[in-house]
Amino acid sequence: MSQRIVKLGTRDFFFPSPNLQQLESSNHLLDDAEKLKKELQAKGYLFIRGLHDRHDVLTARKNILEHISSLGDHILKKGTHAEEGILNHRCGKGCVPFLEGKNEITHSQSVLKVIEGEKPKALFEKLFGEKAITFDFKWLRAMHYEGYTGAHVDNVYMSRGSDQVLTMWTPFGDVPIEMGVLAVCEASNNLPEFQHFQETYGNCDIEKANLKGTAWFTDDPMEISKIGGTWKTSDFQAGDVLMFTLRTVHMSTANNTHFARISCDTRWQPSSHSVDQRFMGNIGLVQPKFGIHAENSLSASSGVTIELLKTKWDFN
């Protein structure tokens, strides 16, 4: 396999290399619930090829891009078809629309057919050993040129319900690493080296802490590598998913193309567990708070910074 130079967060890496390795598929374990559970706990993730129907994913992608196109002719390149997903060369951060929440596109028939489909539901029920439910809030995103997500764990955003919440990341389309895909730090959910990280940052309720900005721990993957674990990623095909725990450190490669990378995070949990009510029911109009949109949000105007907290926690 020839090496490529890709950008993980803010750092260039060769792929594959010791710093950034290939994700291993868990498809061979799909018929064995116990082995799937052990794999998820050991590695912190499950990489499943072809969980969704490819045609359904591409249909949803087309509808999402048509929705984006309807929001203004400044977003996608003029003279191209919306389904190509080619961004206007001037369309960077702040230009690509904020799509998260519970709205007409997140809950359109074509999108829900994928992210709340029978196949993912059956897989989560196999993992939980009971009925699975999913948050009404959907983290649907279109990533702009040079955009990426920094290293974090999901527990800092959604810790007020079940501790068994799992995330399913679904890319809408064929997405090579250079277009912006998720990477996970393998076993960061359970390695002893991450105990201090999990007990401090991992246990932080960022809203209660009044944390401003993205709430990412860092945008430099080497800062995580110094703690432990191994970064892994892959090219994704339409239908592939990456599932991981609330405690799995993850981030994304940068989108170094002029295509909008469309993806959605959905959260699933056992139905018998308590639910973080911030993400259920009548959510209403959603304003950007954390993550890549944070710098454009009101949350960045006051509060503490992650750097101050990292100093307090003896990371700096």
Side-chain angles (χ1 to χ4, degrees), residues 239-260:
D240 297 347
V241 301
L242 184 61
M243 299 162 56
F244 47 92
T245 76
L246 285 175
R247 297 289 186 162
T248 305
V249 182
H250 59 285
M251 64 187 304
S252 82
T253 59
N255 181 5
N256 286 328
T257 76
H258 287 284
F259 294 94

Side-chain angles (χ1 to χ4, degrees), residues 56-70 82-83 104-105 108-111 140 172 262:
D56 290 345
V57 171
L58 296 179
T59 298
R61 178 181 183 275
K62 179 176 181 291
N63 292 342
I64 295 166
L65 286 166
E66 288 174 348
H67 172 78
I68 291 173
S69 180
S70 73
E83 62 189 272
E104 62 178 316
I105 189 60
S108 63
Q109 183 177 358
S110 63
V111 172
L140 181 64
F172 285 92
I262 311 296

Side-chain angles (χ1 to χ4, degrees), residues 36-55:
L36 269 179
K37 294 175 187 177
K38 288 179 180 179
E39 180 96 340
L40 177 62
Q41 181 56 35
K43 293 184 175 181
Y45 74 88
L46 297 173
F47 179 37
I48 309 295
R49 294 284 195 186
L51 179 67
H52 303 306
D53 179 84
R54 178 179 176 85
H55 174 75

Side-chain angles (χ1 to χ4, degrees), residues 100-305:
E100 298 176 19
K102 183 180 180 181
N103 53 59
E104 62 178 316
I105 189 60
T106 61
H107 285 64
S108 63
Q109 183 177 358
S110 63
V111 172
L112 288 182
K113 186 177 182 180
V114 174
I115 61 176
E116 291 190 358
E118 289 302 316
K119 288 183 179 179
K121 182 180 179 182
L123 181 53
F124 283 109
E125 291 185 346
K126 180 180 290 188
L127 288 168
F128 298 141
E130 64 172 87
K131 181 181 177 182
I133 57 173
T134 181
F135 290 0
D136 293 326
F137 194 111
K138 310 299 181 189
W139 286 260
L140 181 64
R141 296 174 180 140
M143 188 63 76
H144 59 271
Y145 175 61
E146 294 186 335
Y148 63 88
T149 299
H152 66 281
V153 296
D154 286 347
N155 198 60
V156 302
Y157 300 104
M158 52 195 72
S159 61
R160 300 180 193 175
S162 173
D163 63 359
Q164 298 301 304
V165 171
L166 296 177
T167 293
M168 177 179 70
W169 186 74
T170 299
F172 285 92
D174 298 331
V175 183
I177 295 172
E178 291 83 358
M179 196 171 167
V181 298
L182 280 200
V184 293
C185 184
E186 185 170 287
S188 53
N189 61 309
N190 61 40
L191 283 173
E193 296 93 325
F194 279 88
Q195 182 177 349
H196 179 64
F197 174 93
Q198 296 289 359
E199 290 177 348
T200 52
Y201 172 73
N203 280 342
C204 181
D205 183 321
I206 55 175
E207 288 189 4
K208 290 181 178 178
N210 197 23
L211 183 63
K212 71 177 182 180
T214 63
W216 301 335
F217 185 79
T218 181
D219 55 13
D220 182 359
M222 290 305 295
E223 193 172 340
I224 299 296
S225 297
K226 289 176 182 177
I227 300 174
T230 304
W231 284 107
K232 294 191 174 183
T233 193
S234 180
D235 296 314
F236 284 72
Q237 300 295 312
D240 297 347
V241 301
L242 184 61
M243 299 162 56
F244 47 92
T245 76
L246 285 175
R247 297 289 186 162
T248 305
V249 182
H250 59 285
M251 64 187 304
S252 82
T253 59
N255 181 5
N256 286 328
T257 76
H258 287 284
F259 294 94
R261 192 230 54 213
I262 311 296
S263 67
C264 189
D265 290 2
T266 49
R267 269 78 195 201
W268 294 75
Q269 67 167 72
S271 63
S272 64
H273 290 208
S274 61
V275 181
D276 193 325
Q277 293 299 323
R278 292 174 293 177
F279 307 112
M280 298 295 283
N282 185 17
I283 295 167
L285 182 65
V286 176
Q287 296 293 337
K289 281 187 178 182
F290 303 107
I292 195 166
H293 296 279
E295 292 180 9
N296 294 330
S297 74
L298 295 176
S299 66
S301 62
S302 63
V304 300
T305 67

Side-chain angles (χ1 to χ4, degrees), residues 71-90:
L71 299 177
D73 60 8
H74 62 290
I75 304 171
L76 300 179
K77 185 177 180 180
K78 292 183 179 180
T80 64
H81 295 291
E83 62 189 272
E84 295 178 81
I86 303 174
L87 291 168
N88 183 321
H89 72 282
R90 295 178 180 175

